[in-house]
Amino acid sequence: MEENILEIKRLTKHFGGVHAVQNLSVVFARGAITGIIGPNGSGKTTLVNLLTGMLPMDGGVIVSDGATLRRMRAHEARFYGITRTFQNIRLFEQMTVLDNLLVVLTERRVFASLFERHGAYHLKKAEALLRQVGLWEKHNELALHLSYGQRKLLEIARAIGTDARVFLFDEPFAGLFPEMREIVKRQLEALREQGAAVLLIEHNTELIRQLSDYVVVLDSGKLLAEGKPESVLRRRDVLEAYLGE
């Protein structure tokens, strides 16, 4: 792998007697897509929640660009260049598609951004992002009126608009038509080309095989396997745990 931008060391999270993440140590490279796979309940989304401060760590550390963190708060993730998307899409429903992006691009509070006179720079960047994901024609529509796939594309555009260094995509392809999947693939590949670290949670092993430079397999919160996709996806223990073979 290339230069590491994010590392976790012995990361641990438990809920009562259940260990969702157990002493997990993984590194994530700059300019690479790391696929994170595993059966349901393996700790994938919990890991993303820990890395973005949405859950407190019970043990271990996160190392982000050399800074060692024993605690990450949700509002601090952006400071460390980390952003994410959600399985359950989170948009400002009663705002237009364009305003959903401008809130992110101007880094203002929601209500302040609504009444701000946006500069030409932010408007131009928002238009470019919406054209990039095929949503410019919808820019004046309320987010509420978008289709499921369009909502996913808008959330991805919002993540890209943060100019983060680490992007965590939690099942971005789920429920998308083939043409929308191709748009999402292009966005992830572009981020890799720009030198970002991309963490991709995905159940479709063919997409993992196509996109990932490296694969991490979780099982019951533990690291089961890691390495190049062509070798990891052939391992018997991975097939048994993940594919039920």
Side-chain angles (χ1 to χ4, degrees), residues 8 13 22 30 36 44 50-51 59 66-67 69 90 143 176 220 228 237 245:
I8 55 176
K13 181 64 184 177
Q22 300 188 56
R30 192 185 308 273
I36 303 176
K44 303 184 298 296
L50 292 170
L51 290 174
L69 310 172
R90 301 187 179 187
L176 296 186
S220 300
K228 296 292 184 180
D237 53 354
E245 296 188 6

Side-chain angles (χ1 to χ4, degrees), residues 67-117:
T68 300
L69 310 172
R70 298 188 181 278
R71 183 175 182 180
M72 171 76 83
R73 298 176 177 86
H75 69 275
E76 295 174 335
R78 186 164 178 173
F79 173 79
Y80 290 104
I82 302 172
T83 192
R84 69 170 296 177
T85 62
F86 293 84
Q87 284 185 31
N88 300 316
I89 305 166
R90 301 187 179 187
L91 300 172
F92 298 112
E93 304 279 2
Q94 298 299 328
M95 291 171 60
T96 67
V97 168
L98 180 61
D99 282 337
N100 263 275
L101 260 183
L102 288 171
V103 168
V104 174
L105 296 178
T106 56
E107 301 185 70
R108 302 286 196 271
R109 293 182 181 274
V110 175
F111 292 108
S113 70
L114 284 173
F115 297 103
E116 179 182 354
R117 290 187 62 189

Side-chain angles (χ1 to χ4, degrees), residues 101 129-130 133 135 152-162:
L101 260 183
L129 282 167
L130 290 174
V133 298
L135 288 180
K152 275 210 161 186
L153 293 176
L154 178 56
E155 187 177 43
I156 288 169
R158 280 165 50 88
I160 295 171
T162 64

Side-chain angles (χ1 to χ4, degrees), residues 13-26:
K13 181 64 184 177
H14 54 79
F15 300 100
V18 178
H19 283 79
V21 174
Q22 300 188 56
N23 295 319
L24 186 62
S25 297
V26 183

Side-chain angles (χ1 to χ4, degrees), residues 219-239:
D219 189 24
S220 300
K222 298 178 181 178
L223 179 65
L224 176 62
E226 61 178 322
K228 296 292 184 180
E230 57 269 23
S231 58
V232 169
L233 294 175
R234 287 199 303 262
R235 285 180 47 160
R236 174 54 53 185
D237 53 354
V238 172
L239 294 172

